[in-house]
Amino acid sequence: MILVLQDGISREEKGRLDSKLEGHGCIVREISARELGVVGAPGRGGQDADYFQRLPGVERVIPVSTAFKLVSRRMHPADTIVKIRDVEIGGGRIVVVAGPCAVESREQAFAIAEEVRKYGAVLFRGGAFKPRTSPYSFQGLGVEGLKVLAAVREEFGLPVVTEMTSPDQAASMVEYVDVVQIGARNMQNFELLKCAGRIGRPVLLKRGLSATIEEWLMSAEYILSEGNDQVILCERGIRTFERYTRNTLDLSAIPTIKELSHLPVIVDPSHATGVRAKVAPMARSAVAAGADGLMIEVHHEPDKALSDGAQSLLPRQFAKLMRDIYVIAPVVGKQLDYAFETRPAAATGAPGERADQRPSVAFLGQKGTFSHKACTQFFGGRGSAVARPSFRAVFEAVKGDETRFGVVPLENSLTGSIHENYDLLLEYDLRIVGEITLRIVHHLIGRPGTRVEHVRRVFSHPQGFRQCRLFLERHPGWELVSVTDTARAVEQIRTAGNPGDAAIGSEEEAGLQGMEIIEEGIETNPRNYTRFVIIGRDPLPGRPRTKSSLIYSTDNRAGALYETLQVFANNGINLVKLESRPIPGRPWEYMFYVDLVGDLQAPSFEPVLSQIEEKTDFLRVLGSY
Ligand code: PEP
Ligand code: MN
């Protein structure tokens, strides 16, 4: 049940209430400043809702009607993020777990780990205790297998996941692995679940072969009720009458879980289909359906695999799948937890940087803005986001060493360059050190109950208005009010309480502030992407640089621009952007903005750079990244 507390209840009164509830054997969780989630009182202590209603400080009691409580989103409205070293599952990043069905030898595990890491897995899987249908099949290497997994983590920097089949294995699990998996066959082994709840490691809970979603969530409830909320649900197919595939992958479980629970959910298309050729299509669909990650079986010699060879991808098939996921993820507002060009740094943490030294990153606005999303999706759990009120303040934060990096938008696919940030890049002596592209979906947001016909006034960032131009043209009577960022726009309508107000912003912002979406997807074209850049003083360590940005101007004479372009052409350099912009105070003179493929700051590019210098009267390399 949920207790809504009286307005203005003090910390002390709340503390007393907590202790009283715990004294009755309840599990108490704070949902918000005014709500407590309480589990286990009826049944265990015998008190009914009336009893709780009468406790000092309680305004109202709301029963939670589902069988599961702690896993329910009602008790914990925000998504739970499971942290495994510096990997986070349940945030904006798609996390891929890959590896063989079973650890067969050190050589086999190392060969596969090297491949899957290269192509973008951030966690390694491999069974050491294998629950096999037949007692005559390979049963796994046991503790020897766990030691191999620990060696894989040591050598490749990938945290490891393996299945625990009995509480007897708990101590070895804690010693050797990062995530404990509960297999489909053990989903309702309640002693094992309780043990997993006490083990102090994140738990990956597979869905049982014939389990309903409710039964599956009840199993997760066992783990949470033991005090462990670091649970990842894994859909791996259920048994139906269909025989062409090993199981039937229930993709509808993903949005269902997302609605019912705050726990992250990943999909295992390998065990779901049992057929190699079916793995990639189902993996792609899982990401499109909103999964937080994937678990994929990969084997370098599947014909020789001791288990599940027929469903294991070859490394090159895994590589292709990862490239597809990389493209699909931004369409559904996520990002693969992997940058293709910068793999070595991403896998092992940047050289010279410890996982516990999280770089701070300044961004515009507040939690929920697209800039915030760019920041969390680029750095994942490896960075801490610091809000700033303007783009200039982001640059100032980096310049003044308050934060190590900043994130600013530079270009939108519908409306073009964000010139303010180009100007700031010219003004401040900072470099572009990375980039990330986000799909931008805008919604018309209102207070609960607001309908489109009530709207008179709309708040947003000017970019929000520009990107929704066609939609706004259909409502010519609306007054448009610009504010500093889209989160501020939503905040404005929430606090002003005016029923004719609406905001343009993201789904996250609406959700965070308890507002409703009145009309979905109002950007002029759904292929609306914003390219954000990461700014800093120094390059991100250990990252190969594949792209450069520069700004220059030339003499005002025939052929001057052409001569600069000729230098790029003669050196085989591919330009991916060329834009001209007026120079303030010098009418009809222009600066040229160029993005090119290649690292202009590499020694091999020095001759090119000096030729360009000769042909320009101003040149600034904004950065290579
Ligand atoms: C596994 O992942 O190794 C496994 C045995 O899967 P499941 O429990 O889903 O069958
Ligand atoms: Mn398997």
Side-chain angles (χ1 to χ4, degrees):
M1 70 183 75
I2 291 170
L3 305 187
V4 180
L5 307 182
Q6 283 161 0
D7 242 347
I9 182 171
S10 68
R11 277 269 137 214
E12 296 74 56
E13 283 172 300
K14 200 168 174 182
R16 275 198 295 278
L17 184 60
D18 270 9
S19 325
K20 184 158 198 116
L21 294 166
E22 276 159 7
H24 286 311
C26 303
I27 302 171
V28 183
R29 294 277 184 276
E30 191 164 314
I31 300 176
S32 69
R34 275 198 66 206
E35 283 186 336
L36 287 182
V38 177
V39 178
R44 280 197 203 178
Q47 295 83 3
D48 58 11
D50 280 352
Y51 170 83
F52 292 97
Q53 179 78 66
R54 288 195 300 270
L55 290 177
V58 175
E59 184 182 299
R60 196 155 46 96
V61 176
I62 306 171
V64 174
S65 52
T66 49
F68 45 87
K69 315 278 182 202
L70 293 169
V71 305
S72 159
R73 196 176 274 285
R74 189 68 187 87
M75 291 287 224
H76 186 289
D79 290 339
T80 283
I81 295 185
V82 174
K83 293 194 170 66
I84 305 151
R85 295 178 178 246
D86 59 4
V87 174
E88 287 185 344
I89 306 189
R93 315 233 283 189
I94 304 281
V95 167
V96 178
V97 188
C101 179
V103 175
E104 298 166 8
S105 67
R106 184 182 164 99
E107 293 65 37
Q108 173 248 19
F110 274 43
I112 299 170
E114 185 167 2
E115 296 279 7
V116 298
R117 188 184 84 137
K118 185 161 75 197
Y119 299 125
V122 291
L123 294 167
F124 184 75
R125 64 148 288 146
F129 298 94
K130 294 302 302 174
R132 303 304 298 278
T133 304
S134 160
Y136 309 117
S137 302
F138 174 60
Q139 303 286 309
L141 298 182
V143 175
E144 280 315 302
L146 298 183
K147 290 183 184 166
V148 170
L149 289 169
V152 165
R153 178 182 55 226
E154 196 60 28
E155 180 71 20
F156 299 96
L158 298 174
V160 293
V161 185
T162 202
E163 181 168 350
M164 173 166 82
T165 53
S166 153
D168 302 344
Q169 296 150 5
S172 319
M173 292 286 157
V174 171
E175 187 170 351
Y176 297 113
V177 308
D178 302 286
V179 181
V180 172
Q181 177 173 325
I182 302 293
R185 288 156 196 80
N186 275 316
M187 189 204 82
Q188 285 188 317
N189 180 337
F190 299 114
E191 290 312 312
L192 191 62
L193 293 171
K194 285 191 232 166
C195 170
R198 291 192 289 258
I199 202 168
R201 287 274 180 278
V203 178
L204 191 149
L205 177 65
K206 292 257 186 129
R207 180 174 181 179
L209 271 66
S210 305
T212 63
I213 289 173
E214 181 162 309
E215 286 164 341
W216 185 18
L217 288 173
M218 285 310 290
S219 292
E221 186 82 12
Y222 263 91
I223 303 171
L224 269 76
S225 71
E226 294 292 337
N228 184 357
D229 68 346
Q230 295 286 286
V231 175
I232 307 146
L233 299 167
C234 179
E235 163 63 44
R236 45 78 73 205
I238 47 176
R239 184 162 289 189
T240 66
F241 48 81
E242 182 51 61
R243 297 272 55 96
Y244 274 106
T245 49
R246 181 173 172 181
N247 292 292
T248 298
L249 180 58
D250 179 12
L251 283 178
S252 61
I254 302 168
T256 309
I257 294 283
K258 288 279 166 205
E259 186 189 333
L260 295 174
S261 176
H262 50 88
L263 295 175
V265 55
I266 70 168
V267 167
D268 168 355
S270 308
H271 292 91
T273 62
V275 188
R276 186 175 306 131
K278 312 274 186 293
V279 171
M282 296 323 288
R284 292 191 295 255
S285 329
V287 171
D292 295 297
L294 297 166
M295 174 180 258
I296 313 273
E297 285 187 345
V298 177
H299 203 292
H300 63 318
E301 294 174 321
D303 297 342
K304 296 191 192 149
L306 297 181
S307 59
D308 287 349
Q311 68 194 33
S312 298
L313 294 187
L314 285 157
R316 64 178 163 75
Q317 296 172 315
F318 178 67
K320 164 72 169 59
L321 171 62
M322 292 302 279
R323 296 184 79 81
D324 290 347
I325 302 295
Y326 186 67
V327 177
I328 295 170
V331 175
V332 289
K334 300 217 173 120
Q335 211 71 225
L336 185 63
D337 189 3
Y338 172 78
F340 277 89
E341 327 74 56
T342 58
R343 185 61 204 140
T348 54
E353 227 180 301
R354 296 204 323 267
D356 56 349
Q357 287 177 323
R358 303 198 309 155
S360 51
V361 192
F363 70 98
L364 169 69
Q366 45 185 301
K367 215 170 154 195
T369 58
F370 291 111
S371 288
H372 179 249
K373 191 168 178 182
C375 180
T376 53
Q377 290 202 351
F378 186 88
F379 289 94
R382 301 167 188 108
S384 64
V386 181
R388 283 291 175 268
S390 66
F391 290 136
R392 181 175 289 282
V394 171
F395 279 78
E396 281 292 329
V398 184
K399 181 185 166 206
D401 271 340
E402 282 169 66
T403 63
R404 215 168 127 208
F405 300 106
V407 172
V408 290
L410 211 50
E411 203 179 354
N412 174 266
S413 61
L414 293 185
T415 60
S417 292
I418 291 139
H419 290 123
E420 181 182 351
N421 286 325
Y422 270 114
D423 292 345
L424 289 165
L425 276 167
L426 270 180
E427 186 182 330
Y428 285 79
D429 190 20
L430 298 171
R431 295 193 171 284
I432 300 179
V433 298
E435 67 174 340
I436 179 171
T437 296
L438 292 191
R439 181 177 169 204
I440 308 292
V441 181
H442 286 297
H443 305 293
L444 188 70
I445 298 165
R447 299 174 60 78
T450 307
R451 288 201 310 272
V452 88
E453 50 284 14
H454 302 150
V455 175
R456 294 286 168 272
R457 188 163 63 155
V458 183
F459 294 83
S460 194
H461 185 269
Q463 278 288 330
F465 293 134
R466 253 173 254 147
Q467 292 166 28
C468 302
R469 189 178 51 81
L470 285 188
F471 173 79
L472 291 171
E473 279 174 7
R474 292 205 294 272
H475 301 280
W478 289 357
E479 181 194 350
L480 306 183
V481 186
S482 291
V483 290
T484 48
D485 58 78
T486 46
R488 185 60 49 83
V490 179
E491 189 180 280
Q492 171 70 32
I493 61 162
R494 178 173 59 82
T495 52
N498 185 342
D501 283 352
I504 292 177
S506 69
E507 188 181 349
E508 285 86 346
E509 285 155 354
L512 277 171
Q513 304 205 38
M515 296 292 103
E516 265 176 17
I517 291 178
I518 307 173
E519 193 139 337
E520 274 184 294
I522 57 167
E523 67 282 9
T524 295
N525 186 303
R527 292 176 75 172
N528 183 26
Y529 295 91
T530 295
R531 183 178 153 234
F532 291 82
V533 291
I534 318 303
I535 53 167
R537 283 176 185 287
D538 314 306
L540 282 162
R543 299 171 76 98
R545 298 188 282 267
T546 55
K547 195 172 167 188
S548 303
S549 296
L550 56 157
I551 301 185
Y552 60 78
S553 62
T554 60
D555 303 347
N556 193 0
R557 64 176 170 79
L561 173 64
Y562 171 75
E563 283 171 24
T564 62
L565 298 181
Q566 205 166 31
V567 175
F568 297 125
N570 290 346
N571 288 281
I573 293 172
N574 183 19
L575 301 194
V576 288
K577 170 172 180 165
L578 173 63
E579 183 179 357
S580 66
R581 233 197 121 213
I583 304 175
R586 286 161 58 185
W588 324 127
E589 288 184 46
Y590 297 88
M591 255 335 162
F592 300 105
Y593 293 64
V594 171
D595 286 350
L596 54 84
V597 178
D599 176 7
L600 260 192
Q601 286 163 306
S604 59
F605 273 85
E606 258 169 38
V608 180
L609 207 52
S610 53
Q611 285 173 49
I612 294 286
E613 244 158 14
E614 274 167 32
K615 311 259 178 232
T616 51
D617 54 15
F618 169 88
L619 172 69
R620 180 73 188 279
V621 178
L622 296 177
S624 300
Y625 42 96

